[in-house]
Amino acid sequence: KVKKIIYCMPDLNFKSKNFIPSGVSVPLKKSISPILLTPNNDSIGSLHFKLGRKLEKRELYEILRSLKKNIAIYRRNKPIITSNNAKVILKYGCKKIYRKWGFKHNDISSVYNKGSHKLNVSLKNLLKYFSNKKSKSMPKYIKEKNLLSAAKKNLGILDGSSHFIEFFKVKKIIKKDLCKNLNIDESSFFSLVHAGSGDVGRIIHHNILDLKRDSFIIQEGHANFYYEAYKAAANYAFSNRLYIYKIIKKSLIKFNKISFFEIFSDLPHDYIYKFKDTYFHNKGVIKMLSKRFCLEDSYKWKNTGSPYILPTSPGGNAYIFLPSRNLKSQGLMSHGVGRSLDKIEASRKFKKHGIGEENKDFILQKYNKDDINSQSPKSFKNSKLILESIKKNNLANMICSLTSLGTLKA
């Protein structure tokens, strides 16, 4: 049962592979619906950093090459962590590992739910349930069926053909006081990381889809168990992105000098979360956290609310937003501008990708695993119209615009 209303964002768009369109949040009372979800916890997380000297084009090229070498596309061929560490991540998310990976509590307080969900079921039972057989609905190209085995091979990965790492510099400071509050100035750089839970999330989600139930009422049957499984996938996704943040920081130090570095924001957009007795099913929708919420829950951004960097298209501008005071929207906001053409249509229509054409110094680094023409900026919606709609509906407040410097794509 839908709780009052369905929230539709300005970037709403249908994708043939998903039952639910992107840009929609569906709140259900005391129930969860797998068909309204995708593998849990996709996010476009962001890093904010400043350098000790000018970032040369050659240095950015080497940084992107280094990331391509150390961050896998889709999945790794061999385990990168032990079974015990994989279990810790599934159970606790970032909570037990962030200090070992060189981060501080201040960093984790920039991540939604501090990067950790407490599991209320036995991890042993979860591993047993999601490790017996391959899901019937799982795409054939995914060979892994064992949850623990997948958890050992999916850290530090970009797990989708539309996922990316992209670097930006400040284009224009729009609201000086708010930017100053966030330590943003003309020397600021940002990196966006679009990644999720990989095969871990797919194994969990597709096994639940195989049950062919539109919804499960909480407190009946295995509904709580399935919700806890989605939380384990969320824990893994938070940790995957944290591992990528670690690699990016290491690459920056190798090729330049860091004078300031922080996790800026990590707000999931493909996500299920609970608020009182309501379960929000977000597809391509983020939840921005208000100043009051950040203060009460000890988040870093207690003076401003949680920031979010909204990208447009590969090589295009991005925009930093802060929460508005629109109570009707529940803090929900677009995660991007959305597509006007799906990937198959874009591949057929465009023979040149046109990524970064407006910036002669733009750097495109590819894994060469996907048709880059499908990512043409012309296959995305008009960003000006999306931004105007965000402003008109008071979904969020823009405080800064960014220029893309280079990206790593599939």
Side-chain angles (χ1 to χ4, degrees), residues 218-229:
I218 297 297
Q219 305 301 340
E220 290 185 12
H222 286 80
N224 276 320
F225 182 80
Y226 301 138
Y227 178 62
E228 295 299 317

Side-chain angles (χ1 to χ4, degrees), residues 281-297:
H281 299 63
N282 286 9
K283 181 71 185 78
V285 176
I286 65 162
K287 181 172 177 61
M288 305 188 81
L289 307 179
S290 67
K291 288 193 292 184
R292 180 178 178 181
F293 186 90
C294 289
L295 177 63
E296 291 175 351
D297 279 46

Side-chain angles (χ1 to χ4, degrees), residues 11-24 35-39 42-44 160-164 194 269-270 282-285 311-312 334-346 374-375 379-381 409:
D11 65 321
L12 187 148
N13 64 102
F14 284 85
K15 297 180 180 180
S16 58
K17 68 178 182 178
N18 298 323
F19 172 81
I20 187 74
S22 184
V24 172
I35 62 173
L36 299 180
L37 301 169
T38 52
D42 247 15
S43 178
I44 301 177
S161 58
S162 295
H163 291 186
F164 61 86
H194 188 181
H269 56 255
D270 290 354
N282 286 9
K283 181 71 185 78
V285 176
T312 52
S334 302
H335 85 292
V337 300
R339 280 183 168 270
S340 55
L341 297 174
D342 67 27
K343 291 184 62 181
I344 295 175
E345 290 174 317
S374 70
Q375 301 295 322
S379 66
F380 290 81
K381 290 185 177 181
K409 293 287 297 181

Side-chain angles (χ1 to χ4, degrees), residues 254-303:
K254 181 178 180 180
F255 296 103
N256 203 293
K257 293 182 179 180
I258 293 177
S259 60
F260 172 81
F261 183 94
E262 68 177 354
I263 297 176
F264 190 60
S265 177
D266 193 322
L267 304 176
H269 56 255
D270 290 354
Y271 200 55
I272 181 171
Y273 67 92
K274 180 183 178 184
F275 179 70
K276 297 182 179 178
D277 65 348
T278 302
Y279 293 78
F280 282 78
H281 299 63
N282 286 9
K283 181 71 185 78
V285 176
I286 65 162
K287 181 172 177 61
M288 305 188 81
L289 307 179
S290 67
K291 288 193 292 184
R292 180 178 178 181
F293 186 90
C294 289
L295 177 63
E296 291 175 351
D297 279 46
S298 301
Y299 280 91
K300 182 177 182 178
W301 306 118
K302 59 186 179 182
N303 293 324

Side-chain angles (χ1 to χ4, degrees), residues 88-129:
V88 168
I89 287 171
L90 288 168
K91 188 173 182 179
Y92 298 105
C94 300
K95 186 175 182 179
K96 301 285 186 178
I97 46 95
Y98 73 88
R99 294 189 188 277
K100 295 178 182 178
W101 289 357
F103 294 96
K104 299 177 181 178
H105 177 74
N106 201 40
D107 291 302
I108 295 302
S109 67
S110 300
V111 178
Y112 189 87
N113 221 65
K114 316 295 171 43
S116 176
H117 286 282
K118 180 183 178 181
L119 297 188
N120 296 312
V121 296
S122 163
L123 179 62
K124 183 179 180 180
N125 290 341
L126 280 178
L127 292 174
K128 182 179 179 180
Y129 184 90

Side-chain angles (χ1 to χ4, degrees), residues 71-261:
I71 296 170
I73 185 70
Y74 303 138
R75 61 194 55 82
R76 297 183 182 275
N77 295 322
K78 297 180 180 180
I80 194 173
I81 55 173
T82 65
S83 294
N84 284 339
N85 285 338
K87 290 177 182 177
V88 168
I89 287 171
L90 288 168
K91 188 173 182 179
Y92 298 105
C94 300
K95 186 175 182 179
K96 301 285 186 178
I97 46 95
Y98 73 88
R99 294 189 188 277
K100 295 178 182 178
W101 289 357
F103 294 96
K104 299 177 181 178
H105 177 74
N106 201 40
D107 291 302
I108 295 302
S109 67
S110 300
V111 178
Y112 189 87
N113 221 65
K114 316 295 171 43
S116 176
H117 286 282
K118 180 183 178 181
L119 297 188
N120 296 312
V121 296
S122 163
L123 179 62
K124 183 179 180 180
N125 290 341
L126 280 178
L127 292 174
K128 182 179 179 180
Y129 184 90
F130 291 102
S131 300
N132 291 331
K133 60 182 179 179
K134 184 170 181 178
S135 161
K136 293 178 181 179
S137 64
M138 183 84 81
K140 293 182 179 179
Y141 60 84
I142 299 173
K143 306 300 181 183
E144 187 63 73
K145 64 180 182 180
N146 184 283
L147 185 61
L148 184 59
S149 177
K152 292 159 64 177
K153 300 175 185 175
N154 280 247
L155 272 187
I157 66 163
L158 297 180
D159 51 324
S161 58
S162 295
H163 291 186
F164 61 86
I165 296 173
E166 193 155 350
F167 288 86
F168 296 84
K169 67 177 181 180
V170 169
K171 181 178 182 180
K172 183 180 180 181
I173 300 289
I174 298 171
K175 296 190 176 180
K176 292 183 179 180
D177 290 345
L178 290 172
C179 284
K180 185 177 180 180
N181 228 322
L182 298 172
N183 193 26
I184 298 171
D185 55 35
E186 285 77 8
S187 68
S188 293
F189 290 90
F190 296 88
S191 178
L192 297 189
V193 176
H194 188 181
S197 52
D199 289 345
V200 169
R202 294 186 185 101
I203 289 170
I204 290 171
H205 181 57
H206 283 280
N207 272 282
I208 297 174
L209 283 179
D210 285 350
L211 300 172
K212 297 183 178 180
R213 289 274 302 274
D214 289 348
S215 64
F216 297 89
I217 299 174
I218 297 297
Q219 305 301 340
E220 290 185 12
H222 286 80
N224 276 320
F225 182 80
Y226 301 138
Y227 178 62
E228 295 299 317
Y230 280 121
K231 286 163 63 177
N235 281 342
Y236 194 85
F238 284 130
S239 301
N240 177 36
R241 291 191 294 276
L242 190 70
Y243 195 91
I244 294 174
Y245 301 157
K246 180 183 77 163
I247 294 174
I248 292 174
K249 185 177 182 180
K250 185 176 180 181
S251 294
L252 289 171
I253 292 171
K254 181 178 180 180
F255 296 103
N256 203 293
K257 293 182 179 180
I258 293 177
S259 60
F260 172 81
F261 183 94

